[in-house]
Amino acid sequence: MKKLFILAAAIVAFASCSKEPETVINDGSIYFTNALTTRATTVTNATSLKEGFNVLGYAKETKIFDNKEAQFDGSKYWTISPTQYWADNTEYNFFAAYPASNKFDDITSTKDKATLEFENTGSSDLVLAGRKVEVATKDRSAARLVFKHALSRVRFGFTNDYTSTEDGTEVKVTVSEVKLIGENKSGTVSITTT
């Protein structure tokens, strides 16, 4: 009885230490993974994309995702509701935008190109992805979206060349309220799957 109890305790201890297997979607549904091209300045939300992103998607000429938000599943995938499924021997085109509040224009977007209008607040980032996926009969993997930054950051730096006067008095210069004059506050961007 004592040996049986020790064996049971060992099994419970082993089970609690073993790593749980990764969740992999393998039901034929369309889902996404991502890779973000980053710059030196980290943009926390855009880097993780865990808040979700907006997707426009086509199966051949048929629109299957009409500005639908992809939701992060907590591990490494993004899914869309209602679920769509891969079809055999079909070409898919996906366009994605973060943040998800950016919507692709229905009138000017086609299966090969998507356009969206955006507001440049100066404090938010805009990252975009376009991806073509050719599905064969056995291919049911995730569509990998490679996001790239659509906006540039501007950084100013000032050097005080007047560190002291002839009599040795230290000179301090304060620069404040630096503004860009004449910059665009909005724009239109077009992306393709290539």
Side-chain angles (χ1 to χ4, degrees):
M1 183 71 170
K2 190 174 182 182
K3 287 182 182 178
L4 184 59
F5 177 74
I6 292 171
L7 180 61
I11 290 172
V12 169
F14 177 74
S16 65
C17 293
S18 64
K19 188 177 177 183
E20 290 185 25
E22 280 189 32
T23 303
V24 178
I25 302 169
N26 197 16
D27 62 357
S29 63
I30 297 173
Y31 60 102
F32 303 94
T33 61
N34 85 309
L36 179 71
T37 58
T38 58
R39 296 183 302 235
T41 305
T42 302
V43 182
T44 305
N45 291 340
T47 302
S48 68
L49 299 172
K50 290 181 181 176
E51 293 177 6
F53 47 84
N54 183 43
V55 177
L56 177 67
Y58 295 87
K60 295 184 179 176
E61 303 290 333
T62 304
K63 190 182 298 179
I64 58 172
F65 296 128
D66 189 3
N67 286 302
K68 293 287 188 179
E69 188 171 342
Q71 297 290 321
F72 185 61
D73 75 350
S75 64
K76 61 181 180 179
Y77 301 115
W78 282 259
T79 59
I80 295 179
S81 181
T83 303
Q84 296 287 340
Y85 295 90
W86 296 113
D88 292 343
N89 303 311
T90 303
E91 177 188 287
Y92 290 86
N93 289 286
F94 299 109
F95 305 95
Y98 175 89
S101 57
N102 291 292
K103 305 293 182 192
F104 293 99
D105 189 336
D106 252 356
I107 297 169
T108 56
S109 296
T110 65
K111 78 171 187 73
D112 298 316
K113 177 185 79 170
T115 60
L116 63 80
E117 294 182 7
F118 64 92
E119 294 296 319
N120 182 6
T121 63
S123 61
S124 62
D125 205 356
L126 174 64
V127 290
L128 304 170
R131 179 72 178 203
K132 181 184 287 189
V133 178
E134 298 279 351
V135 175
T137 53
K138 304 237 184 248
D139 186 5
R140 295 292 185 265
S141 59
R144 186 170 184 261
L145 299 175
V146 179
F147 284 88
K148 295 183 180 181
H149 292 271
L151 299 176
S152 296
R153 291 184 179 275
V154 177
R155 182 175 183 266
F156 292 97
F158 299 93
T159 303
N160 182 5
D161 286 336
Y162 302 99
T163 54
S164 62
T165 62
E166 289 179 11
D167 65 356
T169 306
E170 187 177 333
V171 177
K172 293 185 179 179
V173 177
T174 302
V175 179
S176 61
E177 298 186 33
V178 176
K179 296 180 181 178
L180 290 173
I181 305 298
E183 83 279 10
N184 291 328
K185 299 288 186 187
S186 62
T188 302
V189 63
S190 294
I191 61 172
T192 66
T193 55
T194 57

